[in-house]
Amino acid sequence: MRSVLSAMLYYLNANETLPRLAPVYHLQVTESDDIGLLSTLANQSRAEIRRRLANDNNAYVAFYKNQPAAFGWSSSGKAVIGELSHELILPLGHKYLWNFRTIDNFRGLGIYPQLLQHIVRSEGHTTERFWILHAPENTSSQKGILKAGFKFISEVSVKNLDQVIVSNHTFHYSAELHAMGFSPSGEPHATCWTCSSPYLSHKKTGCCCTTSGKLCNEKQFLSA
């Protein structure tokens, strides 16, 4: 059975020199345990935020001119990729970065790569390697991830709704990928989350991929 969902997987070794970014003046990034703020930003219940913070997750918020502009999470030990319906066990010393979002009014300022690099610098002394995913149609996330210094390693897809596969030519860090539940495969990968994912909430019934044969652009991208 053809895979039904694809994502793009990147990594960054903590000991690598990070690329220099253009400064974003009036930007401050800080780790946060403000339940109310994180609940509002992530559109999640306070109970869910407490659960995350109690289970090896750290939250970071970027403030631009003292206004919350972006946020994201770092996870160790165990993480759930909701869009793939996959729970992964992270090898010791590895972190998974997830649930990032830049508030609409603050997009285009270069905040996302600054936020990523801040997390890497803050947690790099206790971390060997960072991992991050994005939807194939989310080109803004792709640009920010690459600018921050992450390197693409493989597409990731769900096969038969229960097996998570990576490209079989992926040799780097194969032991770590296997430990996280990713199996090498030559199976063709799916297209975009908008038309392929059975796990997205508020999913549209139509999708440009089905008619044009091209990936949906990021304006049509829906977060889980």
Side-chain angles (χ1 to χ4, degrees):
M1 178 178 176
R2 184 183 175 89
S3 55
V4 298
L5 181 62
S6 181
M8 316 303 281
L9 179 65
Y10 299 77
Y11 74 96
L12 176 64
N13 295 318
N15 61 0
E16 294 184 41
T17 301
L18 297 177
R20 185 182 298 274
L21 298 174
V24 179
Y25 298 106
H26 311 294
L27 182 71
Q28 181 182 12
V29 181
T30 182
E31 186 175 354
S32 177
D33 60 1
D34 187 328
I35 304 295
L37 174 63
L38 295 171
S39 174
T40 299
L41 290 175
N43 193 27
Q44 298 286 340
S45 68
R46 288 173 176 257
E48 168 60 17
I49 299 300
R50 291 191 185 95
R51 185 196 68 78
R52 293 183 184 185
L53 292 174
N55 287 278
D56 298 317
N57 290 280
N58 299 323
Y60 292 83
V61 179
F63 294 87
Y64 181 72
K65 296 183 178 179
N66 298 319
Q67 297 296 314
F71 67 92
W73 293 79
S74 168
S75 180
S76 59
K78 183 168 63 175
V80 176
I81 307 174
E83 297 86 354
L84 298 177
S85 190
H86 177 65
E87 181 178 271
L88 58 85
I89 305 299
L90 289 158
L92 186 65
H94 289 230
K95 297 278 180 89
Y96 174 61
L97 306 184
W98 64 292
N99 192 199
F100 285 82
R101 188 175 304 158
T102 302
I103 309 305
D104 290 355
N105 292 343
F106 302 100
R107 292 179 178 174
L109 299 175
I111 293 175
Y112 182 37
Q114 295 279 358
L115 176 55
L116 289 174
Q117 285 197 352
H118 178 91
I119 297 174
V120 170
R121 291 190 178 100
S122 296
E123 302 193 0
H125 63 289
T126 60
T127 304
E128 178 183 347
R129 189 165 298 118
F130 295 90
W131 301 90
I132 193 168
L133 286 162
H134 74 79
E137 68 269 28
N138 195 344
T139 55
S140 289
S141 286
Q142 179 188 44
K143 291 175 183 177
I145 289 168
L146 292 172
K147 281 183 179 180
F150 285 78
K151 299 177 179 64
F152 176 74
I153 188 168
S154 179
E155 288 182 273
V156 180
S157 291
V158 177
K159 178 182 177 183
N160 298 332
L161 300 181
D162 61 2
Q163 182 184 8
V164 182
I165 61 173
V166 292
S167 302
N168 60 6
H169 61 266
T170 302
F171 300 110
H172 294 297
Y173 313 122
S174 57
E176 290 93 334
L177 292 170
H178 177 74
M180 291 188 287
F182 300 148
S183 302
S185 173
E187 184 106 15
H189 288 274
T191 53
C192 78
W193 289 2
T194 306
C195 65
S196 300
S197 175
Y199 308 115
L200 290 179
S201 57
H202 310 296
K203 184 178 177 180
K204 292 182 178 181
T205 56
C207 172
C208 65
C209 297
T210 59
T211 56
S212 69
K214 299 179 181 179
L215 291 180
C216 291
N217 59 44
E218 59 183 318
K219 292 183 179 179
Q220 294 170 291
F221 171 70
L222 299 177
S223 297

